[in-house]
Amino acid sequence: MSGHSPDPDPRKTPGLEPGGGVPPGETPPAESGTGTETGPRHKAKGGWAKGPTVIIGIVVVLVVAFFVAYAVIVAG
């Protein structure tokens, strides 16, 4: 390990005032990103489509049926 800090030296960083402050106009203005005008203009569809949900349900039922049948065969 080199022993040097990965942080830049504030004395050599352009755009900083003595003491580490930033002068006005040096940073971009704050953005208003929390209002209701942000985001998509259309309503997004909620939930999954019916097709994938039905397929997943069928697979789950088949897996459960397999394990129940296996348990009955092994126990019998």
Side-chain angles (χ1 to χ4, degrees):
M1 200 148 197
S2 63
H4 294 288
S5 173
D7 296 329
D9 185 4
R11 294 172 290 178
K12 296 180 182 177
T13 304
L16 290 180
E17 293 179 335
V22 180
E26 193 66 33
T27 57
E31 295 183 23
S32 174
T34 58
T36 57
E37 66 275 355
T38 59
R41 302 224 183 266
H42 63 281
K43 290 207 173 222
K45 293 182 180 178
W48 283 25
K50 291 181 183 178
T53 305
V54 169
I55 292 172
I56 291 172
I58 291 171
V59 169
V60 168
V61 168
L62 290 175
V63 169
V64 169
F66 170 78
F67 282 112
V68 168
Y70 183 75
V72 169
I73 292 172
V74 170

